[in-house]
Amino acid sequence: MQSQQTNLCTNDYVIEMRNITKVFPGIVANDDVTLQLKRGEIHALLGENGAGKSTLMSVLFGLYQAEQGEILKDGKVVRINNPNDATALGIGMVHQHFKLVEVFSVLDNIILGVEDTKLGFIQKKQAYKKAQELSKRYGLNVDLDAIVENISVGMQQRTEILKMLFRDNEILIFDEPTAVLTPQEIDELMAVMRGLASEGKSILFISHKLNEIMAVADRVTVLRKGKCIGTVCTKDTTAQQLSDMMVGRAVQLKIDKAPAKTGQVVLDVQNLCVKGAGNKKLAVKDVCFNVRAGEIVCVAGIDGNGQTELGYAITGLTNASSGAIVLDGKDITHKSIRQRTLQGISHIPEDRHKHGLILDFSLQQNMVLQTYFQPQFQANGFIKFQQVQQYAERLIEQFDVRSGQGVDTTVRSMSGGNQQKAIVARELDRPHKLLVAIQPTRGLDVGAIENIHNEIVKKRDEGAAVLLISLELDEVMNLSDRIVVMYEGEIVGRLDPATTTVQELGLYMAGAKRDTNKEEC
Amino acid sequence: MLKRFFVAVWLWLKGAGIAVAKWFKNWFVKVDGKDIIPVRIGRWFKSLFVSTNNQPPQLVVLYQKDGTKSVLSSLLCVGAGIAIGLILLILVALFSKDLQANNVFRGFFILISGVFYTGNAANMSVGFDAFQLGNYLTRVTPLILTGLSVAIAFKTGLFNIGAPGQYLMGTMASLLVAMSIPATTATAQFFVWLLALVVGVVAGMLWGCIPGAFKALLNVNEVIVCIMTNWIAGNIVTWVFSGSQFVNPKSPGFLYKTNHFGIQNPRLGMDLLFPGSWADGGIVIAIVVAVMVWVMLNKTTFGFELKACGSNRHASKYAGMNDRRNIILSMAIAGGLSALGGALYFMNGQTEFQFSTTYQTLPSVGFNGIPVALLASSHPLGVVFSAAYIAFLEVAGTKVSSFADYNEYISDLIVAVIIYFAGFSKLIKDLLSTKRRKSKQVDAVQPTTQSKEA
């Protein structure tokens, strides 16, 4: 492999990471990993969750210091002790979990740390112009005046990208940037990335979406369980081959499922209206649909078209302003979250850090977040710690949640994918009639996605009703039995995945096509 | 019957004797293939310092535990605070013509010996003085409870700066009950005392509910409401007692001692341990309450909910917990704890409550609950020790001014600086947790120069 590489390229490496080893308590995150980034190339870093991709990039960005190995910039050894050193070297990073000040405006976040000042006053005008220009040029479409906590996850991601572009960085690290983007946006981002690379910027692209890597990257380095498996040119390989390299076994990319055996209606949503953030306008307008037992209904749409609010209204995180939500024949529109949970709603939330987990709690405490008071875990108000531990250990085993110190690991220290697996494990294992899954595979690798999709299909076959809210077209097409498309808070299409195409679905999602029949009202 | 009893006792003694004998035998002879006890102790000591069975040295394992780091950082804070205290003592002496080197030495000696200092300005000595220690324990009691009050609010993500107000309301309510219900027999007095205690706690809980309710229902910052309720409480107390029949005519501005009405905390044997002092069962009650708070926070579903709300309110809402109820309850419990502190301190029997100044000066024991909780990293059992330490400093401070000729304000200042240092424990803990980087790059180029070249 090494010799092949040297034949392929000149020695114009802008960044070389040689023999990096990074150890965390109980886990070797990087084991003798070597990564070489050429000037002007898009280099993908591929690996499962917990394979050590994020750790390796954090070492490069100065967030962690490696126990062994060295980093070379333009052929010279450098020491990167903190992100400031990395920034001085022209390395910019878009993190998987955004590093934004929630109460600041988008522009404030972009200039944070590089503010131009005159007599101590921040000069925002020029910065605004530059940011605006960049935003337009790369089609990021970011509202610079919006407050970060009010904008969608997708726009927050784009703010991060803009932030990095604003700093004129020459080495750009994208840590799973496409996880929250729509297919169109992904295409645009890919164009942006190619443009940047042709301008001589070098891009490190962390992803586990094989088709994206095949489409955009020049070379791929594959990590598995902290070890470097190899570096290959995308020209010489296939998606299947990469996925086998990454997982270490043959993976099924497409899911097998039997036709749905639908039962009675479990969830019936009638003329539902929900107010958006800030209570200004309706985010969900007069929506009607139902989900029957044994089927997966998918709400498709571009981020920010009311799907999140719809999910929140069904699970109780926000109140419906009018309309009715009926679960199993009982009106739950005004029931509390606890009552809904007990009536059989499982909920995989969109934002795992805000809603899904308590990051400073241990894994086992998070596993019983909704069930800690039930008789199997509680007696006379006291928690049965042994039962909690055994339960958590079983879930970890069953769903392959990897963590440094087992059930006692603080969830904050776990990788994003494993955090998501922990939530999925908790929600799927809880007895439920309805599963509301909002972006359940966001940030997960193919192996884990396969696993979660199979679990969801299994739940469906066991007779659960599944409401899937997803931004990823592959997931929508693969998993659903029926598709409901939302655009600007309204249902604009009801499709059958068997008879529809991705292109048609895209037209509905973009609002270019709409049916207004309200058959399920 | 009696014979059977003796036989049972004999058998038990015999069994115990054999066990003891076996244990002694273990010291010298191998039993059941196990090594003799000195060897095992030696091995245990070795395992503390040297890696054995692929386990790192046990001391390292212990050091890496989170709790150890908390304790260590608190101890470091205490040490740093005392060191700063010494520097202040020296600095003040340098700029004062009345203070000499021996004042500095004596001042520092008193600062670290505190309640154990039994000497005076002329001769220095340390020792156990039952009177001093007993009175010291009565000062520790309310500090433990206000410390717990702040700590439990911290665990729920709230900053209870309202402890002084809750303390005052608890004091007022329990003193009103204790002084207005006549009781002549010992039993009646006990029940009046109990009633007074309960009424005081309930008053404090209601007072604590106010900022809790504002926070939970209207999302008003609890600090603002707490500060306002503090001053409202201070004014109410002065207003209620001014001109009332409870004012002691011999010392205007103070109320009668509660033992004037025959009401005082049960002594629970503390008067025998510390004869002649004010020591009472309050300290026992405070420690028992600390243990109860620890059990509640760590072992019960309620504590789980409180901590969940404190760590991530959104996630606890998602999980179906009633975050609003938990915030109000947490503040109510915090208020009840502060109030219990006030009630216990002023129903000691010997203490006098000065009601005339509360509208101007809030009781410092309420505010000192904050450093107590910080120093203990909000651990309920740690609070007992940190309260003991802060009370120790207060005693030391008064002694420094009376026996080492330091101005009383300066001794207060020194104590304040040390207490201030208590707030650094989180910072020091984070520093302890930071991993030292093992760099093997010898001729590394600094990145700043590198970027200039580029």
Side-chain angles (χ1 to χ4, degrees), chain A residues 47-96:
Chain A
E48 284 190 281
N49 300 118
K53 304 177 305 254
S54 292
T55 307
L56 187 64
M57 288 305 102
S58 297
V59 169
L60 179 58
F61 198 58
L63 292 171
Y64 298 135
Q65 269 72 44
E67 270 81 32
Q68 268 165 35
E70 53 186 7
I71 300 173
L72 283 80
K73 167 93 198 301
D74 299 323
K76 292 189 188 97
V77 177
V78 289
R79 187 183 283 172
I80 302 175
N81 291 327
N82 53 50
N84 288 341
D85 293 351
T87 312
L89 290 168
I91 301 172
M93 181 161 181
V94 175
H95 294 271
Q96 194 175 353

Side-chain angles (χ1 to χ4, degrees), chain B residues 196-239:
Chain B
L197 202 66
V198 170
V199 169
V201 170
V202 170
M205 288 179 86
L206 293 175
W207 204 247
C209 272
I210 296 171
F214 269 93
K215 170 80 178 179
L217 304 177
L218 301 169
N219 205 19
V220 179
N221 192 310
E222 75 276 12
V223 173
I224 294 169
V225 185
C226 276
I227 292 172
M228 294 204 298
T229 50
N230 278 349
W231 290 109
I232 294 168
N235 280 279
I236 289 178
V237 165
T238 311
W239 172 66

Side-chain angles (χ1 to χ4, degrees), chain B residues 73-86:
Chain B
S73 64
S74 297
L75 289 178
L76 278 173
C77 280
V78 169
I82 288 175
I84 299 281
L86 174 63

Side-chain angles (χ1 to χ4, degrees), chain B residues 272-290:
Chain B
L272 304 175
L273 274 176
F274 303 101
S277 75
W278 297 358
D280 62 20
I283 185 75
V284 181
I285 296 174
I287 291 172
V288 168
V289 168

Side-chain angles (χ1 to χ4, degrees), chain A residues 259-280:
Chain A
K261 288 185 220 91
T262 52
Q264 69 203 57
V265 171
V266 171
L267 175 74
D268 194 6
V269 176
Q270 297 158 357
N271 302 92
L272 185 70
C273 293
V274 185
K275 280 180 181 163
N279 281 347
K280 275 179 207 145

